[in-house]
Amino acid sequence: MAGERVRWGILATGGIAASFTADLLDLPDAEVVAVASRSEASAKAFADRFGIGRAYGDWASLAADQDVDVVYVATPHSAHREAAGLCLEAGRAVLCEKAFTLNVREAEELVALARERGLFLMEAMWMYCNPMIRRLKALVDDGAIGEVRTVQADFGLAGPFPRSHRLRDPAQGGGATLDLGVYPVSFAHLLLGEPAAVTASAELSPEGVDLQTGMLLSWESGARALLHCAINSGTGVTASVTGSAGRIDVPGGFFHPERFVLHRDGREPQEFAADPVDGPRDSYRHEAREVMSRLRAGATESALVPLEGTLAVMRTLDAVRSAVGVRYPGER
Ligand SMILES: NC(=O)c1ccc[n+]([C@@H]2O[C@H](COP(=O)([O-])OP(=O)(O)OC[C@H]3O[C@@H](n4cnc5c(N)ncnc54)[C@H](OP(=O)(O)O)[C@@H]3O)[C@@H](O)[C@H]2O)c1
């Protein structure tokens, strides 16, 4: 595929499917060739809106389309296992939205399937592809703040989300943890790896999904991460990582920052700002470029968003849900 355009298929026609497709259309080396929905009318409307040639009223037809190099799965999390599995079974590479699946068991099944078929699979954890987050990670790895001791991060939306919204629906994997908590958790994993222990406390909705959850992750080094997510509380969405020799503060929208500040003991604070050539801070182009460059290289996974990292994050999310008592229909 070296040098060629990568041909994308879009699976689902909701909010993020539209945002991601719009970004793909800005990339000269990407082509969106097909879209699939549970309904033919939705697929057709989406195809008309974005000028996409093929519109399917079922997922299997997209999975079987030999002209599609990679499918972007943008259903609610509850359908990720089925939709991504269908595509992998049919020989398609997959970029699958976060949270990757409902639980680690489903994630392991997808990873095993991709490995068995020798196909590319990646979680759409766009934060890991963001240039500013990569810069922050490089600074921490280079010892800019010494040994990491504390990570704080939060992602809370005020809502209110009506009971009919997917975020309130257990059948669609609703709740704050899988939708929003996955960002603070992935941020802590990026800097410290998988924790040795996880504790959490949540406020649950009458339907049994978490409205807000506080998490405490611990590592054997002594490091701690204090994380929070909410679908009933509009928090600052900030992050901070503190080490033995300093601290990095990331302001609102920490998972796609425009700037962050490095505080080193005994020195003036140093501000790092996004390069304008990297485009708008809410761009999904970085993750799309990562997928395409890996596909062209013949790789089956991304070094920026490795599958072992996705599995580790899913284990932490499972531990959080277990601690607070959120279970989805059909989960053992
Ligand atoms: N990376 C990001 O920044 C970001 C942002 C938002 C959301 N997300 C993730 O993307 C996924 C979708 O979120 P969204 O906000 O786009 O949701 P959404 O607006 O509700 O769209 C989800 C789409 O999935 C399809 N779908 C398939 N099975 C469904 C079911 N059982 N019930 C309802 N819809 C179903 C529907 O499309 P059809 O009618 O065409 O079948 C629906 O429009 C979630 O996993 C979420 O965590 C990521």
Side-chain angles (χ1 to χ4, degrees), residues 1 4-8 10 19-32 69-72 94-97 120 122-131 134 282-296 302 304-305:
M1 177 176 299
E4 292 167 20
R5 291 176 105 190
V6 172
R7 299 164 304 175
W8 290 80
I10 309 295
S19 303
F20 185 77
T21 301
D23 274 3
L24 277 183
L25 295 175
D26 278 341
L27 295 176
D29 56 344
E31 192 179 350
V32 184
D69 297 314
V70 55
V71 173
Y72 169 62
V94 170
L95 171 68
C96 181
E97 259 310 333
F120 179 88
M122 176 178 142
E123 176 193 6
M125 181 37 70
W126 62 304
M127 170 173 72
Y128 284 178
C129 303
N130 179 285
R134 293 177 65 182
D282 56 355
S283 171
Y284 296 101
R285 282 173 236 162
H286 305 297
E287 80 175 341
R289 282 197 196 102
E290 170 67 5
V291 171
M292 296 194 291
S293 82
R294 298 290 79 217
L295 283 175
R296 286 198 188 92
S302 156
L304 294 182
V305 196

Side-chain angles (χ1 to χ4, degrees), residues 11-18 36-39 42-43 59 72-80 97-99 124 126 165-166 169 171-172 178-179 183 255 284 287:
L11 194 153
T13 59
I16 193 63
S37 166
R38 292 164 305 162
S39 102
S42 286
W59 301 344
Y72 169 62
V73 171
T75 67
H77 343 303
S78 52
H80 289 177
E97 259 310 333
K98 43 53 67 176
W126 62 304
H165 195 280
R166 73 170 173 82
D169 182 4
Q172 293 185 69
L178 287 200
D179 209 81
Y183 287 103
F255 50 92
Y284 296 101
E287 80 175 341

Side-chain angles (χ1 to χ4, degrees), residues 17-206:
S19 303
F20 185 77
T21 301
D23 274 3
L24 277 183
L25 295 175
D26 278 341
L27 295 176
D29 56 344
E31 192 179 350
V32 184
V33 296
V35 58
S37 166
R38 292 164 305 162
S39 102
E40 210 159 321
S42 286
K44 180 87 177 61
F46 193 93
D48 288 348
R49 176 176 169 197
F50 292 106
I52 300 168
R54 299 176 199 178
Y56 299 116
D58 66 289
W59 301 344
S61 301
L62 175 67
D65 189 331
Q66 301 283 341
D67 293 331
V68 171
D69 297 314
V70 55
V71 173
Y72 169 62
V73 171
T75 67
H77 343 303
S78 52
H80 289 177
R81 165 69 185 90
E82 183 188 348
L86 198 67
C87 295
L88 292 166
E89 294 276 7
R92 306 276 83 78
V94 170
L95 171 68
C96 181
E97 259 310 333
K98 43 53 67 176
F100 190 60
T101 47
L102 284 186
N103 51 48
V104 74
R105 182 181 51 79
E106 290 186 350
E108 283 167 353
E109 287 168 5
L110 286 181
V111 169
L113 187 56
R115 286 185 177 153
E116 190 185 300
R117 304 290 161 111
L119 290 166
F120 179 88
L121 175 64
M122 176 178 142
E123 176 193 6
M125 181 37 70
W126 62 304
M127 170 173 72
Y128 284 178
C129 303
N130 179 285
M132 288 293 280
I133 293 288
R134 293 177 65 182
R135 214 158 156 196
L136 183 154
K137 162 84 174 145
L139 279 170
V140 171
D141 286 352
D142 287 349
I145 57 169
E147 189 188 329
V148 177
R149 300 223 165 113
T150 309
V151 174
Q152 291 161 275
D154 72 276
F155 188 175
L157 296 177
F161 296 97
R163 283 194 179 195
S164 55
H165 195 280
R166 73 170 173 82
L167 286 173
R168 296 281 300 269
D169 182 4
Q172 293 185 69
T177 295
L178 287 200
D179 209 81
L180 309 178
V182 65
Y183 287 103
V185 166
S186 297
F187 185 70
H189 275 237
L190 181 72
L191 300 169
L192 285 161
E194 186 170 5
V198 176
T199 59
S201 167
E203 175 192 3
L204 301 186
S205 73

Side-chain angles (χ1 to χ4, degrees), residues 148-153 184-185 187-189 191-192 215-217 219 223-227 239-243 254:
V148 177
R149 300 223 165 113
T150 309
V151 174
Q152 291 161 275
V185 166
F187 185 70
H189 275 237
L191 300 169
L192 285 161
M215 305 163 241
L216 174 59
L217 279 47
W219 284 260
R224 295 291 186 271
L226 273 162
L227 313 174
S240 185
V241 47
T242 305
F254 78 85

